[in-house]
Amino acid sequence: MAREGVSYEQVAAVADALVGDGQQATIRAIRERLGTGSPNTIHRHLAAWRDARPQMAAVVAALPDALTAAIAAEIAKAASTARAEVEGRLVLAQTEASELAAVGEILEGERDTLAEHIVILTTERDREAATAAERATELERQGQELQRERSAAEAARIEVAQTRNKLENQAEKLTEQQALIAQLQAQLELERQGRIDAEKLAAVTAAKLEAAEHRAQVAEAATDELKRQLNQVRELATLESSKAEMANTTIATLNGKIESLQTQIQQQARELDAAQQEVKAALQTAAELRGQLTANAK
């Protein structure tokens, strides 16, 4: 919200009080008493207050010589007083011009400082944007790795399912072989060689079953490891997504700050232009006062 400037009535009241106290009504003195106010605004109201003050008017009338001489002496005294007042106004105008020039230099310094601040914030914004882009690239890469891990896990699951089917088929075959062994054992006494062959067949079948069970255990262990790695990748992807969102928020905040600083620089530039115009006006007033002083001296 823009700050409300001081009014003419406030400046005029303080100026009257300063003159009543025997002091000069300057921009600095009025600003110190008010405790606020732009130097440009105070200078504008102070000039209007000075223009509104009653000026001494010369009265010419046909009077006796003695009275004319006395009046001439008073006029000379009044002219001296007027000259002193004009000189005082000239000094005040010069002082105010110096104060306005100093204010202009301060505003230029603030403008340069804000410009440097914008450069710093712009650099920081670009750095955050680059970091966000790198994080997005890394997140995409991890997503691709996650997809590959999922494909590998799916392939392992299919392999485990196939192994289980094979185990079931082998279990059915084992049952059949065990029945065959039972039949062979029943015929042991009648056919010794047949019993030996049956025992060999049972041993081979048991070895195959053991090997199949071992492969199934290895496949299950691989599946568990792939599930664990998949969970880790999912957690990492979630974390990187949160970081990317934070980086986007930071960039938005920095953009807001940069826009605010640019608005401040534009405002400072306008105030600087106004201050320079006030300085020119004050210098022109000083030149006019010098001309009046020269004319009065003649």
Side-chain angles (χ1 to χ4, degrees):
M1 182 180 291
R3 182 179 60 185
E4 186 178 357
V6 296
S7 64
Y8 168 78
E9 289 75 11
Q10 291 175 308
V11 174
V14 173
D16 291 337
L18 289 171
V19 173
D21 294 340
Q23 301 180 15
Q24 292 182 347
T26 63
I27 294 176
R28 181 176 297 176
I30 292 174
R31 197 168 186 270
E32 288 178 353
R33 287 210 176 184
L34 288 175
T36 184
S38 169
N40 297 330
T41 303
I42 294 175
H43 178 268
R44 185 173 65 255
H45 293 330
L46 184 58
W49 172 80
R50 286 172 181 161
D51 293 339
R53 295 186 67 192
Q55 303 293 329
M56 182 180 295
V59 179
V60 180
L63 299 172
D65 293 340
L67 185 56
T68 300
I71 291 174
E74 290 296 328
I75 291 174
K77 182 179 179 181
S80 178
T81 302
R83 181 181 302 167
E85 181 179 355
V86 170
E87 290 177 349
R89 293 179 64 185
L90 177 59
V91 171
L92 288 177
Q94 292 175 341
T95 302
E96 291 170 357
S98 299
E99 291 177 354
L100 291 174
V103 171
E105 292 178 357
I106 292 173
L107 290 176
E108 288 180 354
E110 292 178 353
R111 181 196 63 189
D112 294 339
T113 300
L114 289 174
E116 292 176 357
H117 195 189
I118 281 181
V119 171
I120 294 173
L121 288 178
T122 302
T123 302
E124 184 179 353
R125 181 198 62 185
D126 294 340
R127 185 168 57 252
E128 289 292 339
T131 301
E134 291 177 357
R135 289 177 177 172
T137 302
E138 179 64 18
L139 186 60
E140 183 179 0
R141 184 187 64 80
Q142 291 178 353
Q144 294 175 354
E145 291 182 357
L146 177 61
Q147 184 62 35
R148 287 195 295 269
E149 293 292 340
R150 287 177 177 174
S151 299
E154 180 65 19
R157 186 188 65 81
I158 294 173
E159 184 178 357
V160 169
Q162 292 175 350
T163 303
R164 286 178 178 174
N165 290 333
K166 290 179 180 180
L167 289 175
E168 291 177 356
N169 293 332
Q170 290 176 355
E172 293 177 356
K173 291 180 179 180
L174 179 61
T175 303
E176 294 175 355
Q177 290 170 355
Q178 289 175 347
L180 179 59
I181 291 173
Q183 292 176 1
L184 291 174
Q185 287 176 347
Q187 298 174 1
L188 180 60
E189 293 180 356
L190 300 176
E191 193 173 344
R192 183 181 298 270
Q193 189 62 38
R195 184 186 64 184
I196 295 173
D197 293 338
E199 289 176 354
K200 290 181 179 181
L201 181 59
V204 171
T205 303
K208 290 181 179 181
L209 178 60
E210 182 178 0
E213 290 177 350
H214 177 71
R215 287 196 300 272
Q217 292 175 358
V218 171
E220 288 178 355
T223 301
D224 294 337
E225 178 63 20
L226 288 174
K227 288 181 179 179
R228 184 185 65 81
Q229 293 179 0
L230 180 59
N231 291 332
Q232 290 180 350
V233 171
R234 286 176 178 172
E235 293 175 357
L236 182 58
T238 302
L239 179 60
E240 291 299 328
S241 297
S242 300
K243 289 182 179 179
E245 292 177 358
M246 291 176 63
N248 290 333
T249 303
T250 302
I251 290 173
T253 302
L254 289 174
N255 285 331
K257 290 182 178 178
I258 288 174
E259 291 177 358
S260 176
L261 287 174
Q262 289 175 344
T263 301
Q264 293 180 13
I265 286 178
Q266 293 175 0
Q267 179 64 26
Q268 293 290 342
R270 288 194 293 271
E271 292 182 359
L272 177 59
D273 292 339
Q276 291 175 348
Q277 293 297 327
E278 294 291 342
V279 169
K280 291 180 181 178
L283 293 175
Q284 184 178 358
T285 302
E288 293 175 355
L289 290 175
R290 286 195 186 95
Q292 293 179 7
L293 182 59
T294 302
N296 291 331
K298 294 179 179 179

